[in-house]
Each structure stands twice: as structure tokens, then as C-alpha cells.
């Protein structure tokens, strides 16, 4: 049956614009009512259920949220590179229950290695959801990781060859900050890449506390794509507050990415590169996407 796109789910995460944040990646978290393989063997997925990263670089648009005047800053310099065979040593594996209530069971590093859900090589990284077994009530085994390093600003670049697509998939790459004294959304959440089912455009979203309305950021003038729609007909989801009126609960301010920024054509064309800029001095958060082969030269290097 065709996949039904439900309202955005209740989210757990945090605000990057004010406090230290960690990079995170999620593979294959699925809505429980839309897993095509529940109760039977998963179909042959080839590479559909894998996230394949060529390179992930952190240095100290389609989403562009700004305030105040532009500040001229020196060029970025690479301070950390995530890739190669030591990739997973820089991340913690989430092995607890899924706080977003997907039809998924996240496994630790040892189990992920044993089940073939992760792979690290000099030229690529793979994170995958299980595609070999019959699922049960506990959800499909998958992988979620978050960086051990904490960031307060920077330009974050991800070179991705393949993103999962198909009914029941929910891949994401995000930043969030939280501790026992600052519960989400106090420190907010920056979803750089997120998509559902067979989406062909990524969503880029901020989730914050109140007083982060971005209605003055105009489609076509301040960014190249458009705002996602809220719960009320014709109302743009341009308020980052998770409890904003006329938006889905926890929706945040969400923008639609360029065509084929994820989905089957994204994978067929060899993927692409995302860059996410978090700049507290310039007072903006901006996101870019380039299809494979169109990246700026300084990113290719």
C-alpha cells in the first residue's frame, strides 16, 4: 500500500544556537504503523537501507535564519575530520529506547558490528538498518550515534553517497545539546538532514523554546527553497518554537530542501554534499546542498 505521511511525531532533541551541541546520525528509525516489512522478511534492499558517507568534516542555502548585520569573518579552517577506519571511535552508540517512538531497536557498537550494520573503511562509512530478518513487536534493529566532541559554532560538512529511502525509513543528521539541567528544547535542535518514507527533498529544521519566530525570513529572497506547511491550511511553518500556534506539535521552523536532496534520484546520482553553518557571531544558521560533482572546489579539496 502507498505510504501515508503522518503529522510530524513528538520529538526529543535540543537548541544549537545557545549552547554546546553534538553531531548525531540516525539510520532507519521507522513509524510503527508504516513498516512494510513488519511480521515478514524484509524485501531485498540492495543499498536502500544504508547511509554511506564518503567524508564528514567539522570546521571551527537553503536554511538561512539571520538577525542583525552581516559580520565579515576569516575563512574556515578544518579542525576535525570524521572518516576512515577510526570513524566510529569518535561517536557514542545510542542503545536505549527510541525517544521519538519509531518502530526501531537501536543497538550498540558490538551488536552493530556483529550484525553487519556498520562498516568503516579508508574511503567510506556505512550505517545500515537490518534487512535480513523478520521483525517483531520490538522494532527493526538499526543504528543511532552521537559525537563525543561538543561544538559551539562552526561549519559542518557531510559528503554522502547514499541515504535510505522507502516506506518506513526515517534517516537524519542533526545537532542538539542537552544535559540534566537543560532539557529539550532549552538548548534546541538543528536538523540538517531529515526525511520520511519516499521523500525526494530533505527537511532542514530548528526546534527551540519560545521567541524564535522566523516569519521575516522570506522564501526566494533570503533562501532558495520554501517553508514547509504547518497544521493550519496555507500557514508556513516558520516559527521555531515547538509549541507554535497553527503548527504541528514539535514541528519547529522547517524548510524544504532542493529537488533530489534525498530519495531514489539522490542515490542514483551518487549523492551529494551538505554544509551547515552555525555562526553565533554573524547571528545566523545556514544550510547548503550540492549534488554530486557540483560542490565548490574548496569543499572538494
Amino acid at each position: 500500500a502507498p505510504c501515508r505521511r503522518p503529522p510530524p511525531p513528538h520529538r526529543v532533541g535540543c537548541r544549537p544556537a545557545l549552547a554546546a551541541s553534538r553531531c548525531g546520525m540516525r539510520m532507519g528509525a521507522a513509524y510503527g504503523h508504516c513498516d512494510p516489512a513488519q511480521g515478514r522478511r524484509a524485501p531485498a534492499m540492495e543499498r536502500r537501507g544504508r547511509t554511506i558517507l564518503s567524508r564528514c568534516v567539522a570546521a571551527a542555502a537553503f536554511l538561512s535564519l539571520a538577525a542583525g548585520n552581516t559580520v565579515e569573518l576569516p575563512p574556515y579552517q578544518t579542525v576535525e575530520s570524521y572518516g576512515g577506519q577510526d570513524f566510529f571511535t569518535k561517536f557514542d552508540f545510542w542503545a536505549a529506547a527510541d525517544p521519538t517512538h519509531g518502530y526501531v531497536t537501536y543497538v550498540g557498537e558490538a551488536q552493530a558490528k556483529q550484525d553487519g550494520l556498520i562498516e568503516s573503511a579508508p574511503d567510506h562509512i556505512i550505517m545500515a538498518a537490518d534487512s535480513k530478518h523478520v521483525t517483531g513487536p520490538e522494532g527493526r534493529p538499526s543504528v543511532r550515534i552521537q559525537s563525543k566532541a561538543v561544538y559551539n559554532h562552526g561549519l559542518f560538512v557531510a559528503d554522502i553517497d547514499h541515504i535510505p529511502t522507502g516506506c518506513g525509513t526515517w534517516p537524519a543528521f542533526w545537532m542538539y545539546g542537552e544535559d540534566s539541567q537543560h532539557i529539550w528544547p532549552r538548548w534546541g535542535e538543528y536538523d540538517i538532514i531529515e526525511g520520511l518514507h519516499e521523500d525526494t527533498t530533505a527537511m532542514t529544521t530548528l526546534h527551540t523554546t519560545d521567541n524564535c519566530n522566523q516569519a521575516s525570513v522570506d522564501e526566494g529572497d533570503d533562501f532558495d527553497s520554501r517553508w514547509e506547511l504547518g497544521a493550519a491550511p496555507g500557514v508556513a511553518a516558520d516559527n521555531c518554537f515547538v509549541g507554535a500556534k497553527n503548527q504541528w506539535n514539535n514541528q519547529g521552523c522547517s524548510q524544504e530542501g532542493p529537488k533530489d536532496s534525498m530519495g531514489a534520484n539522490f542515490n542514483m546520482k551518487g549523492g551529494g554534499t551538505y554544509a551547515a553553518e552555525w555562526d553565533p557571531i554573524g547571528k545566523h544558521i545556514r544550510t547548503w546542498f550540492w549534488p554530486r560533482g557540483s560542490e565548490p572546489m574548496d569543499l572538494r579539496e
Side-chain angles (χ1 to χ4, degrees):
C3 242
R4 293 180 295 112
R5 185 186 181 104
H10 295 283
R11 300 294 309 280
V12 176
C14 299
R15 181 156 97 200
L18 296 179
S21 294
R22 300 178 186 273
C23 280
M25 299 182 189
R26 173 178 63 227
M27 230 305 302
Y31 292 106
H33 63 272
C34 196
D35 186 340
Q38 183 175 0
R40 59 181 176 86
R41 189 168 301 281
M45 296 180 71
E46 302 175 293
R47 296 169 66 190
R48 288 180 59 190
R50 296 183 172 191
T51 295
I52 303 177
L53 300 174
S54 297
R55 183 170 55 117
C56 185
V57 177
F62 53 89
L63 183 127
S64 181
L65 307 182
N69 296 324
T70 300
V71 178
E72 190 69 27
L73 298 175
Y76 283 103
Q77 301 293 325
T78 301
V79 298
E80 183 70 69
S81 181
Y82 292 82
Q85 293 178 315
D86 67 343
F87 178 85
F88 291 109
T89 66
K90 300 180 179 182
F91 290 87
D92 294 318
F93 281 70
W94 180 282
D98 178 22
T100 55
H101 311 295
Y103 181 73
V104 65
T105 298
Y106 289 122
V107 300
E109 183 175 10
Q111 189 68 45
K113 286 182 179 178
Q114 178 179 318
D115 295 344
L117 303 185
I118 60 173
E119 177 184 320
S120 57
D123 62 345
H124 69 268
I125 304 299
I126 293 177
M127 298 170 55
D130 176 74
S131 60
K132 301 176 181 178
H133 301 96
V134 174
T135 58
E138 68 281 357
R140 184 168 298 284
S142 189
V143 177
R144 169 175 166 159
I145 60 176
Q146 64 182 37
S147 64
K148 295 177 180 178
V150 175
Y151 302 94
N152 287 289
H153 59 85
L155 179 68
F156 304 87
V157 180
D159 183 353
I160 303 176
D161 295 336
H162 188 279
I163 296 177
T165 186
C167 189
T169 57
W170 186 11
F173 173 40
W174 75 96
M175 301 188 71
Y176 82 101
E178 183 176 43
D179 63 23
S180 60
Q181 303 301 313
H182 303 89
I183 304 302
W184 184 92
R186 176 76 177 275
W187 282 350
E189 176 180 351
Y190 175 15
D191 295 327
I192 301 165
I193 308 171
E194 186 171 25
L196 307 172
H197 309 314
E198 297 178 337
D199 282 355
T200 58
T201 58
M203 290 185 293
T204 297
T205 308
L206 296 184
H207 302 271
T208 72
T209 52
D210 205 355
N211 300 316
C212 191
N213 193 322
Q214 299 295 318
S216 62
V217 178
D218 296 326
E219 301 176 1
D221 292 329
D222 298 310
F223 64 103
D224 291 333
S225 62
R226 65 180 183 85
W227 292 108
E228 296 278 354
L229 294 178
V235 175
D238 54 13
N239 191 332
C240 306
F241 176 39
V242 297
K245 185 179 179 181
N246 295 324
Q247 295 183 191
W248 301 108
N249 188 37
N250 297 347
Q251 184 174 8
C253 53
S254 184
Q255 293 178 358
E256 181 182 281
K259 180 182 178 182
D260 296 334
S261 50
M262 68 185 313
N265 283 340
F266 173 92
N267 297 332
M268 182 179 65
K269 296 174 182 178
T273 299
Y274 279 87
E277 184 182 41
W278 170 16
D279 183 359
I281 297 175
K283 298 182 179 180
H284 60 240
I285 290 176
R286 300 188 293 190
T287 311
W288 296 266
F289 168 72
W290 297 275
R292 176 70 62 218
S294 65
E295 303 89 344
M297 188 57 65
D298 55 351
L299 288 185
R300 298 185 196 182
E301 297 171 351

